[in-house]
Amino acid sequence: MALLTPEDLENLSMQLEENDEIARRVTGLDIRGICEALYGTKPGSEKVGIIPITAGNGVIGNFTSSLLFIAQYFGFEGFITEHPDVTGYYEAVSQGADIIMMADDHIFTAHNLRNEKIVSNHVATGVIYADIASRFREASSKDILVIGLGRVGYAGACHLVNKGFNVYACDPNKEFLQKAVDELNIKPYCSDDRKKFSMVFEATPNADTISEGMIEERCLVSTPGIPCGLPPEVGKKYRVDLVMEPLVIGVASMLYSVIQNQ
Ligand code: 2YC
Ligand code: MG
């Protein structure tokens, strides 16, 4: 999984506004609206304790401050602990945190201490980006393409199958593809199939995974992936709407998913 850089997290609020506007135009809902529709819940000023973690590649500049900005933007209370790691965990619980957020290089998690719900970023990110793609108002059918069946892609594909979409998917890793075929009954898609899609959910760590032959004019591409899977020239030529940003949408999905009281 590509680790974020401090630069990725610069002007996050602008990236949020841009994607909010695109989401509203192509789905009729902004990110807050999509979270409420997806999880059937609203923040009730739960308090989020955000803990810097020094393990592995260590603290990433702008990471915990970005989490605080996101939590407060969606109506949660929040604080970043003074100390990192275990000391930080003790501090967060002692300061009355309802939800703990912390990430090492492998797992980024949110844990609600009140209802014991726990979620990982890769599942929450996969589900919401797939959900955004599936809400395209101009979609020509319920056929949707998933590119990448790793942790994020698989979670999104599973969500789309559960929502009743006709999920086509591709991944260069044959095991990942076979797993999704066996467990989710998705339809394998390879680029020389003549089929074109109006909804695409891309979840790979690679650039330029989307080619002209895959997409319809004015389609919607929804992707958390850094670098971007949509080549800019293809995006322009086919007037593609692109929902893509590095952290906000996935974190919002994490927070709403752990305050669900179902
Ligand atoms: O600053 C800190 O506390 C660091 N330990 C945070 C490490 C986050 C590593 N994960 C990532 O860079 C991201 C995830 C946010 C989603 C995908 N990659
Ligand atoms: Mg990508």
Side-chain angles (χ1 to χ4, degrees), residues 83-194:
H83 298 88
D85 309 327
V86 177
T87 308
Y89 187 87
Y90 183 78
E91 188 187 333
V93 177
S94 310
Q95 302 282 333
D98 302 301
I99 297 169
I100 297 289
M101 290 198 99
M102 54 187 176
D104 62 19
D105 297 348
H106 310 292
I107 288 281
F108 169 22
T109 190
H111 182 204
N112 185 328
L113 306 178
R114 310 304 172 214
N115 63 12
E116 297 172 358
K117 278 187 174 294
I118 190 162
V119 69
S120 70
N121 175 268
H122 56 268
V123 170
T125 297
V127 167
I128 195 166
Y129 271 93
D131 195 68
I132 290 170
S134 73
R135 288 174 181 276
F136 186 33
R137 293 195 285 193
E138 318 302 327
S140 52
S141 73
K142 295 206 78 161
D143 298 345
I144 186 164
L145 177 61
V146 175
I147 303 174
L149 291 165
R151 304 193 294 178
V152 177
Y154 184 94
C158 186
H159 175 65
L160 294 170
V161 168
N162 295 342
K163 280 190 78 171
F165 283 82
N166 306 332
V167 180
Y168 293 75
C170 56
D171 192 302
N173 180 312
K174 291 293 169 260
E175 278 105 44
F176 284 5
L177 187 58
Q178 198 52 47
K179 180 175 174 331
V181 169
D182 300 345
E183 296 173 2
L184 303 178
N185 192 26
I186 56 100
K187 301 178 187 68
Y189 170 85
C190 46
S191 49
D192 50 15
D193 299 9
R194 278 284 140 263

Side-chain angles (χ1 to χ4, degrees), residues 3-243:
L3 294 182
L4 288 171
T5 66
E7 292 70 34
D8 292 331
L9 300 175
E10 274 160 8
N11 52 45
L12 210 57
S13 55
M14 193 193 63
Q15 295 186 62
L16 168 58
E17 272 153 47
E18 279 171 7
N19 282 275
D20 233 3
E21 189 274 328
I22 296 167
R24 219 190 330 267
R25 182 163 48 76
V26 299
T27 72
L29 295 173
D30 62 10
I31 297 165
R32 196 189 301 273
I34 287 165
C35 288
E36 288 168 6
L38 187 49
Y39 295 109
T41 189
K42 281 185 189 327
S45 70
E46 291 81 356
K47 190 184 237 185
V48 182
I50 298 159
I51 308 165
I53 301 293
T54 62
N57 282 291
V59 168
I60 297 176
N62 297 339
F63 182 70
T64 49
S65 55
S66 298
L67 299 185
L68 182 58
F69 160 74
I70 298 164
Q72 292 169 335
Y73 178 88
F74 287 97
F76 296 84
E77 272 183 59
F79 65 97
I80 300 171
T81 58
E82 205 180 320
H83 298 88
D85 309 327
V86 177
T87 308
Y89 187 87
Y90 183 78
E91 188 187 333
V93 177
S94 310
Q95 302 282 333
D98 302 301
I99 297 169
I100 297 289
M101 290 198 99
M102 54 187 176
D104 62 19
D105 297 348
H106 310 292
I107 288 281
F108 169 22
T109 190
H111 182 204
N112 185 328
L113 306 178
R114 310 304 172 214
N115 63 12
E116 297 172 358
K117 278 187 174 294
I118 190 162
V119 69
S120 70
N121 175 268
H122 56 268
V123 170
T125 297
V127 167
I128 195 166
Y129 271 93
D131 195 68
I132 290 170
S134 73
R135 288 174 181 276
F136 186 33
R137 293 195 285 193
E138 318 302 327
S140 52
S141 73
K142 295 206 78 161
D143 298 345
I144 186 164
L145 177 61
V146 175
I147 303 174
L149 291 165
R151 304 193 294 178
V152 177
Y154 184 94
C158 186
H159 175 65
L160 294 170
V161 168
N162 295 342
K163 280 190 78 171
F165 283 82
N166 306 332
V167 180
Y168 293 75
C170 56
D171 192 302
N173 180 312
K174 291 293 169 260
E175 278 105 44
F176 284 5
L177 187 58
Q178 198 52 47
K179 180 175 174 331
V181 169
D182 300 345
E183 296 173 2
L184 303 178
N185 192 26
I186 56 100
K187 301 178 187 68
Y189 170 85
C190 46
S191 49
D192 50 15
D193 299 9
R194 278 284 140 263
K195 190 171 179 52
K196 291 177 176 290
F197 294 86
S198 62
M199 298 178 280
V200 178
F201 161 53
E202 196 271 6
T204 77
N206 309 321
D208 307 342
T209 55
I210 297 169
S211 59
E212 300 191 21
M214 294 172 174
I215 56 173
E216 288 178 6
E217 183 103 12
R218 302 186 73 73
C219 69
L220 171 60
V221 171
S222 176
T223 176
I226 296 177
C228 185
L230 178 69
E233 64 281 0
V234 172
K236 257 195 295 301
K237 181 176 175 189
Y238 285 75
R239 288 180 287 160
V240 176
D241 280 308
L242 175 65
V243 173

